[in-house]
């Protein structure tokens, strides 16, 4: 048997190819900065579109250094469940529904209270 025997090799665990002659794609390192001064560096491909805002590992919003702040004035405010409920019901209706449901729960527990 030859010296290049596969005996003892972890087949599939290691590649037999070499990385000689392989050129990585061109990259650019972009800096973002949080309001508290934290610096965030992100590596993008050279032809990638760079986002104006990046969320850091700590969860803070970081802005592109020497970039413009994105215009968020046209964004709609987020509607909560409470906002949507108030679009369908009045406060008087909600109070009545709450009282009805509480009475049903009290009856199940044997805590009927007189009004």
């Amino acid at each position: 048997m030859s010296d290049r025997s596969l005996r003892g090799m972890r087949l599939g665990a290691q590649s037999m190819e070499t990385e000689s002659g392989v050129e990585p794609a061109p990259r650019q390192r972009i800096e973002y900065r949080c309001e508290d001064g934290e610096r965030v560096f992100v590596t993008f491909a050279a032809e990638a579109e760079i986002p104006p805002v990046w969320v850091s590992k700590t969860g803070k919003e970081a802005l592109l250094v020497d970039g413009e702040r994105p215009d968020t004035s046209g964004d709609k405010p987020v509607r909560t469940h409470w906002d949507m409920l108030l679009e369908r019901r009045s406060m008087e209706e909600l109070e009545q529904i709450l009282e009805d449901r509480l009475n049903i729960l009290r009856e199940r527990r044997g805590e009927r209270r007189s009004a």
Side-chain angles (χ1 to χ4, degrees):
M1 212 173 220
S2 72
D3 292 335
R4 292 198 44 148
S5 166
L6 294 179
R7 189 183 65 190
M9 281 285 298
R10 294 177 294 205
L11 292 176
Q14 293 177 325
S15 174
M16 300 296 284
E17 294 184 20
T18 64
E19 293 187 13
S20 63
V22 176
E23 292 276 334
R27 302 175 195 176
Q28 55 182 332
R29 188 171 186 224
I30 303 298
E31 181 182 356
Y32 290 89
R33 197 164 290 149
C34 297
E35 287 183 8
D36 64 356
E38 178 185 354
R39 296 169 63 187
V40 179
F41 293 96
V42 183
T43 303
F44 291 98
E47 66 271 359
E49 184 177 327
I50 308 301
V53 177
W54 191 264
V55 178
S56 70
K57 290 180 182 178
T58 57
K60 296 181 238 168
E61 194 173 82
L63 297 174
L64 181 64
V65 173
D66 299 331
E68 296 180 12
R69 183 174 195 85
D71 181 27
T72 57
S73 60
D75 292 347
K76 287 186 189 178
V78 177
R79 285 177 36 198
T80 63
H81 293 293
W82 181 249
D83 294 331
M84 291 183 266
L85 184 64
L86 288 177
E87 290 173 4
R88 296 189 310 268
R89 308 268 187 189
S90 68
M91 284 302 287
E92 293 80 23
E93 287 177 301
L94 292 172
E95 288 173 359
Q96 182 60 47
I97 291 169
L98 174 63
E99 188 60 37
D100 293 344
R101 297 307 297 172
L102 286 174
N103 285 335
I104 291 170
L105 286 172
R106 288 180 185 130
E107 285 175 6
R108 284 185 191 165
R109 294 180 180 167
E111 301 174 10
R112 179 74 176 143
R113 95 178 177 175
S114 58

